[in-house]
Amino acid sequence: MHATAPVSNIAEQFFTAAITGGTLAHGYVLKGKNTSTLYQLALSIAQALNCSNPPQQPVGTEAPSTLPSLSCGQCKDCRWISQNAHPTVVTVSRLTYQVNEKGELMPPEELEKQAKKASAPTQIKTAQIGQLIHHLGVSSEACRVVIFTDVEERPASQPSPVPPPYEWQCIEANAEKSFHVRPLDHSAFHPYAINKFLKTLEEPPPKTLFLFLTETEEQLLDTIVSRCQVVPCQAPQDPVQEDISLAAFADFYEKLGKHLQRKGDIYQLMAEFQAVFIEEQGLSTSQALSGFQQFLRQRFVTAPVDTARFASYRILQQTLEKTIGLVEAKANENASLLNLFIELSKQLKSAPLP
């Protein structure tokens, strides 16, 4: 049994709605502090997309809100995916999806030799991407889910919270090792590898989903992030956040819209934010900003969002995260908040969020 930290309900609801509503994009950056959680979410998405006996939703009932409700968990496809042994679920990393000098996937005997070497590959290579593109060029009835992540091998005494890919499980030399996933960063791909992959990422084959696992999108190459949707997936860790009333942020959001319509003073807007959430509710600045971030995520998940609005949403989330970091680092708090509200005003004027 593999146990991971819970993924946020908002992230799960987002993918459930996208799958049931037929709005699933071709590529997502899943971000969070626990990469094992992100990896398990990727497998859950793969199950929901490939279950051969999905539960039937009774007529007149509410749409499902959780990924497990979209798959039976018992059919051959579900069982294979839960064991990370399904042929249409591919984990691409520096230590998986290995290819030989001919550019072909390594057979078992070559994988054994590779596993016994003292040195290990340090990047995802161009040949791996070439083989992946070839693999995706073959038509398939199933939905192929390609998970990009970094990995590391640890002693078997440190068990992994996620199931290793079947190709890794079957290597005898790995019997005394455990498979752990880690977040991607700028160095994950060989430069030629990512350049070779960009066209496929822009125009993927039918029924193909790309998932990139990282801690923050700033750790990834801009060429990847700009071609994907970024989904925050980590469950809240601060219990104080559970007590923040999102209704208060909804009221502030409505006031914000009216404020922008009459071209009000940014300083006044910032002062009102501080008065409502810091003085009246007794939150710290970082808690107030985190609550507003949570509110925006919820609005984004529960309403239709076009491309322009998603771009604005992503910029706002990045700005919020940067501001929270500056506030927690005890940098110039007022200047950080002012920059935040200037960016907030700019984005909501260009593409209002729902």
Side-chain angles (χ1 to χ4, degrees):
M1 178 68 69
H2 300 277
T4 59
V7 72
S8 72
N9 289 335
I10 291 177
E12 188 171 295
Q13 291 169 7
F14 170 78
F15 282 106
T16 304
I19 292 171
T20 56
T23 59
L24 195 69
H26 67 277
Y28 294 92
V29 173
L30 307 184
K31 70 171 186 177
K33 295 184 181 299
N34 190 320
T35 313
S36 297
T37 296
L38 306 183
Y39 193 82
Q40 196 63 59
L41 173 62
L43 294 179
S44 296
I45 294 170
Q47 272 190 325
L49 292 172
N50 288 295
C51 177
S52 55
N53 187 31
Q56 298 299 310
Q57 191 70 22
V59 177
T61 60
E62 291 185 5
S65 60
T66 62
L67 282 170
S69 65
L70 301 183
S71 58
C72 69
Q74 302 298 322
C75 68
K76 180 178 67 175
D77 291 299
C78 283
R79 285 185 283 108
W80 280 4
I81 292 173
S82 68
Q83 297 164 10
N84 208 357
H86 201 286
T88 60
V89 180
V90 177
T91 299
V92 180
S93 74
R94 60 190 181 87
L95 299 181
T96 59
Y97 205 72
Q98 295 292 290
V99 299
N100 56 25
E101 294 179 354
K102 298 179 182 179
E104 302 169 342
L105 287 176
M106 286 187 180
E109 59 272 17
E110 289 187 34
L111 288 173
E112 287 287 352
K113 292 179 181 178
Q114 176 76 14
K116 292 177 182 177
K117 289 183 177 180
S119 60
T122 59
Q123 289 182 310
I124 297 172
K125 298 180 179 178
T126 308
Q128 289 174 266
I129 296 300
Q131 172 59 33
L132 176 66
I133 293 172
H134 172 75
H135 168 73
L136 296 177
V138 179
S139 61
S140 172
E141 292 299 319
C143 181
R144 289 167 296 199
V145 178
V146 183
I147 307 170
F148 290 92
T149 186
D150 191 14
V151 303
E152 65 176 343
E153 296 170 334
R154 300 179 187 173
S157 58
Q158 301 178 31
S160 172
V162 298
Y166 185 73
E167 68 196 75
W168 191 94
Q169 298 177 38
C170 293
I171 300 174
E172 292 183 10
N174 289 339
E176 300 302 319
K177 303 175 185 176
S178 62
F179 177 89
H180 291 258
V181 291
R182 298 184 46 175
L184 292 167
D185 61 25
H186 290 91
S187 64
F189 293 87
H190 187 281
Y192 292 139
I194 196 60
N195 289 338
K196 187 179 185 70
F197 181 60
L198 290 180
K199 182 172 177 58
T200 301
L201 182 57
E202 284 182 346
E203 302 174 6
K207 302 180 74 172
T208 301
L209 177 65
F210 298 117
L211 300 173
F212 299 85
L213 314 187
T214 190
E215 192 166 339
T216 68
E217 61 263 46
E218 288 81 10
Q219 292 176 290
L220 288 180
L221 296 169
D222 291 339
T223 50
I224 293 176
V225 176
S226 63
R227 290 166 171 81
C228 297
Q229 293 187 18
V230 181
V231 181
C233 299
Q234 197 64 39
Q237 299 297 315
D238 185 353
V240 176
Q241 294 303 316
E242 299 176 1
D243 299 328
I244 294 178
S245 171
L246 294 186
F249 289 102
D251 291 341
F252 179 77
Y253 187 83
E254 295 302 324
K255 293 178 181 177
L256 173 62
K258 296 176 181 177
H259 181 91
L260 294 177
Q261 286 179 0
R262 61 175 185 267
K263 299 181 180 180
D265 187 358
I266 294 294
Y267 287 96
Q268 178 187 345
L269 188 63
M270 184 176 75
E272 185 168 349
F273 181 85
Q274 291 173 314
V276 172
F277 300 106
I278 298 173
E279 297 173 14
E280 293 180 14
Q281 294 200 18
L283 302 174
S284 68
T285 302
S286 62
Q287 287 173 343
L289 292 173
S290 295
F292 191 50
Q293 188 178 40
Q294 183 181 350
F295 167 76
L296 288 179
R297 287 173 183 164
Q298 188 176 75
R299 289 293 287 253
F300 170 71
V301 168
T302 56
V305 179
D306 58 27
T307 303
R309 282 179 172 172
F310 180 82
S312 289
Y313 165 81
R314 187 168 67 189
I315 291 172
L316 288 179
Q317 289 289 12
Q318 291 172 342
T319 307
L320 275 163
E321 287 188 1
K322 181 179 179 181
T323 306
I324 292 170
L326 290 171
V327 168
E328 292 179 345
K330 301 190 183 304
N332 190 324
E333 185 172 304
N334 284 333
S336 299
L337 282 176
L338 179 60
N339 288 334
L340 168 66
F341 281 102
I342 289 173
E343 187 62 48
L344 184 66
S345 173
K346 176 183 175 183
Q347 293 304 321
L348 293 183
K349 285 178 180 177
S350 63
L353 288 172

